[in-house]
Amino acid sequence: MSIRGIINSLKLCFLCPGCKTPRAKPNSELETRRTNAAAASDSEDPLLLPLPDEINYEILSRLPVKSLLRFQCVSKSWLSIISSPHFIKSHLNFVSSSTDNQRILLLFIRYDNQIVNCSVNCLLYQQPIDAIPTNFPTFALRGEFAIMGCCDGMMICSSLIKRCYFLWNPSTRKSKELPNLGIESENKYDVFLGLGYDETTDDYKVVGIVCLLGHNLKPCSVKIKVYTTRSECWRTIEEDFPGDYIWQESSSSKFLNGKLHWVVKKDQHYKSIFTVDLETERYVEFQGPDCIRYTMAILEILKGRLCLLCNYDYCHPTEMWIMMEYGVKESWTKVLTIPRLSSSRWCVYKLFGASENGEVLLNVGGSLVLFNAKDQSFKDYLSLAFDGIVYVESLVSPYANDAPERELQQEDQSKKPGWDR
């Protein structure tokens, strides 16, 4: 369907929300003449008359990102609406209001490192899978980047060979390289990044945990750095880090309640959850369930709550714990026990989502698996080596101010024939 056809369909739906049947045929000669006269003049056709901006706004805020990117070319007014910060936030609030809009970005480590995204609900409820190819990010060659965190549809990524970091929105295909961390050390170091949103400053922040390694490759000191999209520079938080290392398998950060979360390890027998408050830029440490101390603990977010998958050895099942009251240790509750797949070697379980019917979508050592808690059965969707992350499609830009880009776009589009002046 053409853009004009889509626009007309949207207008019909909005102007006649209760109408599901075709218009009745004229029942008189007078009505027939009136209809023919109206058809002879485009200016009298209600489908071609402009709608008020507030109605356009409501229609557009419910459309997917792919359609909105196309509709920026319809007119200057639509470009202005879709590009405005207020609209971007309204659209984000709409897509974030329901888990129905969640998608999984799947990065296939082998098989030419392809990237696809698909609906979480389609996988959970075993509906036809809408796998959509995703363009490879321009900042990294194939197989050379890792996703370290996600917030509001934007991701923080690491280029593995170049040792540089990028913000990337896979829905809009915009990316931005971050400046060098400025680490002055002759020794090697590990970096763990997290991305979140600070409501008080209306700014996206990247927190970098820099673990400096000694000659024996053990951590000797830790620095915490913060980057903001408005300042476009790194600065150091002058506080002592509470742990001596970030647990490797759980290095992907999780953003919730204005804070970034990691699982940290102080020594061989002590682990906890480390958070950085993006408003105050201070850290807080709180305890997980007892099983976090002696398992491979993977931190996740499930329906607005912190969730831990505690992976034991290959002889024991994986436990799923949820923090029912944020920040309260006593509120950790074990909600599910997931058996080990008998046909697999020991591997880490990671969570993608859970349905109301007791199905749980998992990454089991690179295989996409649906576990049914009622009959304890597994369904294997994909057995290819992959990694993935759950996100929502949004218009959020890696750049704090896209105004210059929009002005250039408006100038270029206004030169095209048929542009609405």
Side-chain angles (χ1 to χ4, degrees), residues 299-320:
L299 190 63
E300 306 285 358
I301 305 295
L302 182 62
K303 299 179 180 178
R305 290 191 174 102
L306 279 182
C307 175
L308 271 174
L309 288 185
C310 294
N311 294 272
Y312 293 84
D313 56 35
Y314 64 91
C315 295
H316 296 84
T318 294
E319 296 176 355
M320 181 188 295

Side-chain angles (χ1 to χ4, degrees), residues 166-211:
F166 296 82
L167 292 173
W168 176 46
N169 185 329
S171 303
T172 63
R173 294 180 290 179
K174 290 184 179 181
S175 62
K176 176 184 181 180
E177 182 176 358
L178 304 187
N180 190 283
L181 277 168
I183 304 299
E184 299 179 359
S185 174
E186 297 180 356
N187 297 335
K188 293 183 178 181
Y189 59 89
D190 290 330
V191 178
F192 304 93
L193 300 177
L195 171 66
Y197 175 70
D198 181 4
E199 291 186 357
T200 59
T201 59
D202 188 25
D203 201 359
Y204 287 90
K205 294 183 176 181
V206 179
V207 175
I209 310 296
V210 183
C211 301

Side-chain angles (χ1 to χ4, degrees), residues 24 28 31 79 89 95 103 108 156 168 178 191 213 215 235 255 275 279 281 300 307 315 328 343 358 386 407:
S28 69
E31 289 179 355
L79 175 62
K89 289 182 182 179
V95 298
R103 302 188 69 81
F108 294 96
I156 177 67
W168 176 46
L178 304 187
V191 178
L213 307 178
H215 296 292
R235 50 190 171 79
F255 178 70
T275 73
E279 178 182 353
E281 297 185 356
E300 306 285 358
C307 175
C315 295
V328 179
S343 60
F386 80 96
E407 290 171 2

Side-chain angles (χ1 to χ4, degrees), residues 107-130:
L107 169 62
F108 294 96
I109 302 172
R110 301 172 187 169
Y111 303 94
D112 205 21
N113 293 292
Q114 297 181 8
I115 305 177
V116 299
N117 71 83
C118 56
S119 167
V120 174
N121 271 8
C122 287
L123 295 168
L124 280 174
Y125 297 100
Q126 304 185 51
Q127 300 170 353
I129 300 176
D130 59 338

Side-chain angles (χ1 to χ4, degrees), residues 235-415:
R235 50 190 171 79
T236 302
I237 298 178
E238 300 296 338
E239 292 191 59
D240 293 330
F241 185 66
D244 60 358
Y245 207 59
I246 300 291
W247 191 250
Q248 289 278 7
E249 292 293 341
S250 189
S251 57
S252 177
S253 61
K254 303 299 174 184
F255 178 70
L256 179 68
N257 295 338
K259 301 178 179 65
L260 286 168
H261 304 74
W262 291 267
V263 174
V264 298
K265 172 182 171 183
K266 279 190 174 180
D267 54 47
Q268 289 297 108
H269 305 288
Y270 182 87
K271 297 175 193 171
S272 63
I273 296 174
F274 168 77
T275 73
V276 174
D277 189 313
L278 295 186
E279 178 182 353
T280 63
E281 297 185 356
R282 298 183 66 86
Y283 65 80
V284 177
E285 184 183 4
F286 56 82
Q287 302 300 310
D290 292 338
C291 66
I292 192 176
R293 300 182 182 180
Y294 41 82
T295 63
M296 183 76 76
I298 304 299
L299 190 63
E300 306 285 358
I301 305 295
L302 182 62
K303 299 179 180 178
R305 290 191 174 102
L306 279 182
C307 175
L308 271 174
L309 288 185
C310 294
N311 294 272
Y312 293 84
D313 56 35
Y314 64 91
C315 295
H316 296 84
T318 294
E319 296 176 355
M320 181 188 295
W321 292 74
I322 292 180
M323 179 175 266
M324 297 299 182
E325 185 177 350
Y326 183 79
V328 179
K329 181 182 185 302
E330 293 73 20
S331 69
W332 282 107
T333 304
K334 184 168 71 171
V335 296
L336 189 61
T337 299
I338 308 172
R340 307 302 301 183
L341 275 169
S342 58
S343 60
S344 70
R345 57 180 174 80
W346 183 87
C347 52
V348 175
Y349 286 16
K350 297 181 180 180
L351 179 68
F352 283 146
S355 73
E356 301 296 335
N357 302 324
E359 290 92 356
V360 180
L361 190 63
L362 301 165
N363 176 352
V364 181
S367 295
L368 189 60
V369 174
L370 184 67
F371 171 68
N372 190 317
K374 293 181 179 179
D375 59 15
Q376 298 287 291
S377 64
F378 289 90
K379 177 179 179 179
D380 196 348
Y381 275 117
L382 291 170
S383 297
L384 305 177
F386 80 96
D387 198 5
I389 191 167
V390 176
Y391 74 109
V392 294
E393 292 184 318
S394 77
L395 293 166
V396 173
S397 173
Y399 298 87
N401 184 7
D402 263 349
E405 182 179 341
R406 291 200 301 272
E407 290 171 2
L408 289 175
Q409 189 177 8
Q410 287 179 341
E411 182 179 352
D412 292 340
Q413 295 286 0
S414 64
K415 297 177 182 178

